[in-house]
Amino acid sequence: MTRSTNKTKSFFAGALAVMPLTIAVIPWGILAGSFALEIGLTAVESQAMSAIIFAGSAQLVALGMIKAGIGIGSILITTLLITSRHLLYAMAMRSHISPLPLKWRLGLGFLLTDELFAISNQTHGGQTSAQHQFDRWYALGGGLTFYIGWNIATLLGIVAGQSIDNLDELGLDFAIAATFIAIVVPTVKKPSILVSVLVSLTLAVVCAVFAIQAGLLIAAISGMAAGMAYAKFTNEGVTTADSPGADITPTKEDNL
């Protein structure tokens, strides 16, 4: 009974932790749902896109490319590049996820988003960073809550898109930037991370001004390289408790 209570508490703690990000992403989901209708998808297809793909930025980019008449090959390559960051998240969490049963690995892998990765590396339950342990139920609560929230937001967008004209002109896309700002800022705990953020930010703006198509990829890779170079030059530790994925260790739970 105690173990079951702990699982329930962890689940709802994860749900509560991701709730601010879930609320922040609602305008983004509304935009995705309405935009899908705009390019000719049915309501069912629009909802299925969020339920199956579950990748906000990739969905919006893919929808824009479909509207522009771009081929499926280019769409797949572009979305692959956009979502490639999830490979880095998975690599950072691999040592803690790999011991789990297959159903947990598949479930958490599907639910893995920027938001879930962010809360999974934050302290909870009053624990300090050094004491923080990876909790599968905490991650499940956060991931499932965000998944449900995203699909509800998409449904709202589908309903609104059928009754409100020019929904895409309301500035709802600002939610994309706001959400990522909310994710990134709490992680800036070391100078090397700050360097990464500043370099990525600067290059992203420069590439946008000059309409460089691969700007996002250039900014991301350059930011990581700059951060690593700074850490190496200053002998900053790269395996401290604040490093992504370094402060989470698996709990001793049964293989449910």
Side-chain angles (χ1 to χ4, degrees):
M1 184 176 297
T2 301
R3 178 178 294 178
S4 178
T5 301
N6 289 337
K7 291 176 181 178
T8 302
K9 289 177 62 177
S10 293
F11 182 90
F12 283 106
L16 183 62
V18 83
M19 192 60 67
L21 294 173
T22 303
I23 295 173
V25 85
I26 288 176
W28 189 354
I30 292 175
L31 182 62
S34 61
F35 191 29
L37 288 182
E38 183 182 327
I39 69 166
L41 270 64
T42 66
V44 173
E45 291 170 340
S46 302
Q47 189 66 59
M49 192 173 191
S50 284
I52 298 173
I53 299 177
F54 187 39
S57 55
Q59 286 178 226
L60 289 174
V61 171
L63 289 170
M65 296 178 74
I66 292 173
K67 184 178 181 180
I70 298 175
I72 185 66
S74 297
I75 294 175
L76 290 175
I77 293 174
T78 302
T79 53
L80 176 62
L81 291 174
I82 292 174
T83 57
S84 61
R85 66 186 186 279
H86 292 86
L87 176 61
L88 299 178
Y89 298 159
M91 291 173 62
M93 300 177 70
R94 182 179 180 277
S95 61
H96 314 290
I97 300 295
S98 58
L100 299 179
L102 178 61
K103 60 183 180 181
W104 277 97
R105 299 200 303 272
L106 292 175
L108 293 179
F110 175 74
L111 294 174
L112 181 59
T113 58
D114 307 284
E115 293 78 8
L116 178 57
F117 182 77
I119 69 164
S120 293
N121 284 280
Q122 300 297 318
T123 60
H124 66 274
Q127 295 175 320
T128 64
S129 181
Q131 296 170 331
H132 177 53
Q133 292 182 322
F134 178 79
D135 188 330
R136 68 180 80 177
W137 292 99
Y138 181 87
L140 179 63
L144 194 57
T145 298
F146 191 80
Y147 177 77
I148 294 173
W150 173 253
N151 280 275
I152 291 176
T154 301
L155 179 60
L156 292 175
I158 293 171
V159 174
Q162 294 174 330
S163 56
I164 301 177
D165 295 330
N166 301 320
L167 193 61
D168 58 334
E169 297 179 3
L170 298 179
L172 297 178
D173 52 344
F174 176 74
I176 301 174
T179 300
F180 279 100
I181 290 172
I183 292 173
V184 170
V185 170
T187 67
V188 183
K189 301 177 180 179
K190 298 188 296 183
S192 59
I193 299 178
L194 179 60
V195 170
S196 295
V197 171
L198 293 177
V199 171
S200 297
L201 174 63
T202 302
L203 287 179
V205 172
V206 170
C207 290
V209 170
F210 290 97
I212 300 176
Q213 296 296 321
L216 182 62
L217 188 61
I218 293 172
I221 294 176
S222 300
M224 289 187 289
M228 291 179 61
Y230 178 90
K232 185 175 181 180
F233 180 77
T234 60
N235 295 320
E236 181 182 87
V238 294
T239 57
T240 64
D242 290 333
S243 298
D247 61 342
I248 51 178
T249 54
T251 58
K252 295 180 179 179
E253 295 183 65
D254 53 55
N255 289 332
L256 291 178

